Every structure is written in C-alpha cells, then in structure tokens.
Amino acid sequence: MAAWLTVVGIGEDGYGGLGKAARRALRDARLIVGGTRHLALLPRCIDAERQPWPTPFSLEPVLARRGQPVCVLASGDPMLYGVGASLAQRLEASELHILPAPSSPSLAAARLGWALQDCRVLSLVGRPLVALQPHIQPGARLLILSQDGQSPAAVAALLTARGFGPSRLQVLEHLGGDDERRLDGQAAAWSISTVAALNLIAVECRATEDAQCLPLTPGLPDHAYRHDGQLTKRDVRAVTLARLAPSPGELLWDVGAGCGSIGIEWMRSHPACRALAVEADPGRQALIEHNRDALGVPGLALVAGHAPDALTGLATPDAIFIGGGVTVPGVLEQCWERLKPGGRLVANAVTLQSEARLVDWRARHGGDLVRLAVAHAQPLGGFDTWRQALPVTLLEARKPLGADA
C-alpha cells in the first residue's frame, strides 16, 4: 500500500519551524491527529479536521482512516520514544512517511556541548522512576525525558538516595521555543519541587565515596539483594548467567526464582531482555518485587504458583533457569517441552537427589554437567583458612533446532 499516513515531528517553534514537505502534508490531509498542545500550534489556514488523541491513548482514530490522507503530529523525532514508533509496529513501512524534527535530546546535547553518542537517552513518560537505576553509574551522562514537572525533583531524590548527591542536574524547559529556560543545580541540593511540564533532565552522574555502585556485569554482590537464604550466590550466579547467555530481546523463565536474582541480572544485561520469575512462596514473591525495583528492572514479571502447573500459558522462552524444584515431577519435562528450539536450559542442584535427577536427564537428553566448588578465606584464630561453600552441580542443555516447540 502506498504511503497514506504522514507523521510530522513538530517542535516548540511550531508551524514556522516546519519544512515545505511537512507543511504540504498538513495542507493536503483530511484528518490531523495529535496532542491538544500540538494541534494548537497550527494556523487557521490548515482546514483539515483536527482530532486530539483519545483518553486513554489509542491509535484507533488513525488506523480507522487507513488509506486516506492523514497526518499525525508528534514531538520532535516521532521515532524516539514517540508515536511514530508505535505506528510502525502496526503498519507496513511503505504506508508511513516520517518527517522528523530535531528531538529534545538532540537540542539538549547541542545546548550542553555533549556528544550525543556518549549519552544515554532515557524516558520517564509512562515508565517508573526505578527504571533509571541501572543507568546511574559514575561518570555517566543521562538525557531523561520527563513525565511531568515533578520529574526533576524525583530524579534528584533518587540520585541522592543512591549516593550520587553530587551529580549535576540541568533541567531544560521548552527546548527550541520562545520560553526555553535552563535550571542548574546539584541533586543533593535540588529544591525546586515543580518546573514546566515540558522538560528534559540532563544528569552528569557523580558518586560519593560510599555510593552504591552496581555494575551491569553478572554477579552482583549478595548484599545487593534482600533474601531469606534462597539466593544463587554471587560466583555461581555469574557462571549461571554466562551459561544462560542472554541476548537482546530474549525471554527467560526463572523457575523457582527465590529472591529473583537470576531473572534480575538477565534483564540488567540489556534493556530489551525480558524475564518471568516463577515463585510459589508469598514471602519470596515480596522479595522479588522489592529487588526488581531496587535494581532497576520493574518489567520483571512475577508468576505466582508452583511449577509445573504455573508454566501453563506462559510465553515461549528462549532460555530457562531452574533454581529450585528439579526433583518435582514434571518440572524438567515441562520446561524442556516448552523451550524454544535452539534455546538453553540451565539447572542448578545442591542435594544428592537433585544432582541425580540432572545426571539422569543428561544421560537421556545430553548437555554439559559442571561441578562448581567455591571457597572463601575466613578467620581461624589468628590466621585465615578456606571455608568451603556447598558444591553446586550445573546442567546446561541446548534444545536441538529441529525439535518441536
């Protein structure tokens, strides 16, 4: 189908800042859909029907006019956390004509003299504040699209709580418009509760000596988690994640999730990674909910229930980790059956019974068995000695590509 929908990026400079192609598309359109603020920027000479986005937001007013000349107005670059990206998921590329304007991160980088490729562009629009957690790293430069006028104060409070109070905050309001303004300060000293609703927050992350600096690599310190003892310990966790080998966009089942550490670190490896934490114990479910927010992966989905019954109806995984329950009848079999062809299954065992189950499984299905033994130096009188942790037997198996999902 030929292009019938034009998505026009518009900045704070309004209609006057649009190019010829964007103006022509607006003049030729039968319907123009956009936010109330964007529609108000159009001159009276544009005589197309104007329709604000419905509440709650929906693309249906646009999709219902498929094949007719329609324009959509969007802020800046429609493909950067914008409605253009949402429309592209529903339509063929040939149906769309995207006319971007400079995005607010581009304008902010120009004002600040920051190389845009060295910045992390994030959004709080419709997203929880805790999603910023993994990106708060010493020396990082963040460009954050605000949800509203209270977002800068909330970001300042989060930075301070994490030990990043010395971080520099610059709030840029109404970028590209006549009302453009910049507010500057330190996170720990930030005292402005509300700014203009249309703003972007630029952060230069600076840590105190006692700041909580957590790397994105597997094997976070055990003390980073709240747990009741059901925790895959740091060194074993790093090896387990290496065997699971997360890739962007992949889905993990963390079966018998405990406090959620494997699923959390799977998702921290890349923003597009997804995970389901399957856990039956209510107390541990609460620990998972705390840990996923504290460590910045609020998208970790909690599945309450016992495997294998709780696995029914879940999306097909690319990888599965079984941290508990390998001796429960049907758990290994159901996980293997549901695993995507080519997917990875990793299971850990610490008891003789669970280890025997993995040995038997390997004899029938193949895979690698690894014994992990970790010892830590601890005091013994006036000296130090090695204290051996319980050995862990790890099974890694890859489902053949020709197998039925």
Side-chain angles (χ1 to χ4, degrees):
M1 180 181 291
W4 56 273
L5 175 59
T6 303
V7 185
V8 175
I10 190 168
E12 282 290 286
D13 51 358
Y15 187 77
L18 298 178
K20 290 182 179 180
R23 294 188 184 193
R24 182 168 59 250
L26 289 166
R27 289 195 301 266
D28 294 343
R30 298 179 189 174
L31 172 69
I32 301 174
V33 180
T36 302
R37 179 176 63 87
H38 293 142
L39 294 173
L41 296 173
L42 299 181
R44 293 182 179 179
C45 64
I46 304 296
D47 56 7
E49 176 189 352
R50 305 184 189 193
Q51 184 174 341
W53 291 112
T55 303
F57 178 82
S58 171
L59 297 176
E60 293 309 314
V62 174
L63 300 177
R65 299 289 191 101
R66 193 170 189 173
Q68 303 176 33
V70 177
C71 268
V72 166
L73 290 176
S75 294
D77 186 345
M79 303 304 287
L80 180 67
Y81 292 109
V83 71
S86 299
L87 287 164
Q89 293 177 348
R90 302 285 298 274
L91 299 170
E92 296 293 331
S94 60
E95 299 179 70
L96 289 165
H97 188 201
I98 310 290
L99 298 173
S103 67
S104 55
S106 293
L107 291 172
R111 303 290 190 271
L112 300 170
W114 292 3
L116 191 55
Q117 70 270 16
D118 296 333
C119 303
R120 186 78 176 97
V121 179
L122 306 166
S123 177
L124 291 177
V125 180
R127 295 170 174 82
L129 181 69
V130 294
L132 299 181
Q133 294 272 28
H135 309 287
I136 301 175
Q137 302 288 344
R141 283 181 167 176
L142 312 179
L143 296 173
I144 306 169
L145 305 175
S146 286
Q147 169 70 22
D148 51 35
Q150 288 76 49
S151 295
V155 170
L158 176 64
L159 289 164
T160 303
R162 279 283 307 277
F164 283 76
S167 298
R168 183 183 181 188
L169 262 67
Q170 298 181 76
V171 177
L172 298 100
E173 302 176 331
H174 297 289
L175 275 163
D178 294 336
D179 296 327
E180 182 174 322
R181 184 176 70 146
R182 187 190 309 184
L183 304 170
D184 199 340
Q186 269 194 352
W190 193 264
S191 60
I192 306 171
S193 59
T194 305
V195 302
L198 190 64
N199 73 84
L200 179 145
I201 311 163
V203 181
E204 294 180 88
C205 294
R206 300 170 183 169
T208 60
E209 291 184 0
D210 59 348
Q212 184 183 10
C213 299
L214 296 176
L216 298 177
T217 50
L220 294 180
D222 292 344
H223 63 71
Y225 294 94
R226 286 187 185 175
H227 62 90
D228 62 356
Q230 292 299 311
L231 169 72
T232 302
K233 299 301 191 291
R234 181 180 193 172
D235 300 291
V236 174
R237 192 183 331 125
V239 174
T240 299
L241 265 295
R243 293 280 182 160
L244 286 167
S247 291
E250 288 191 324
L251 173 66
L252 170 76
W253 286 2
D254 184 359
V255 180
C259 70
S261 62
I262 295 295
I264 287 169
E265 295 193 27
W266 169 279
M267 291 186 65
R268 282 173 61 89
S269 70
H270 192 276
C273 283
R274 301 166 292 137
L276 302 175
V278 181
E279 177 56 55
D281 184 88
R284 292 172 187 161
Q285 293 167 13
L287 293 173
I288 292 170
E289 291 174 334
H290 167 82
N291 290 330
R292 69 183 180 187
D293 288 347
L295 295 170
V297 289
L300 175 67
L302 178 60
V303 179
H306 292 274
D309 293 342
L311 307 180
T312 302
L314 302 184
T316 302
D318 300 279
I320 298 176
F321 172 67
I322 307 176
V326 295
T327 59
V328 175
V331 169
L332 268 168
E333 291 78 8
Q334 178 78 344
C335 287
W336 187 251
E337 179 182 348
R338 296 291 306 282
L339 183 64
K340 184 179 294 185
R344 292 88 64 201
L345 184 146
V346 175
N348 289 355
V350 293
T351 67
L352 290 174
Q353 290 77 13
S354 56
E355 181 182 84
R357 185 80 172 91
L358 297 187
V359 171
D360 176 69
W361 176 266
R362 177 175 177 267
R364 290 182 289 117
H365 297 278
D368 292 332
L369 274 178
V370 179
R371 172 67 68 86
L372 302 175
V374 179
H376 296 274
Q378 294 184 2
L380 179 65
F383 300 91
D384 294 309
T385 190
W386 293 109
R387 297 289 185 187
Q388 191 80 33
L390 288 175
V392 176
T393 300
L394 180 150
L395 168 72
E396 178 194 354
R398 185 175 292 268
K399 190 171 184 178
L401 285 171
D404 293 332

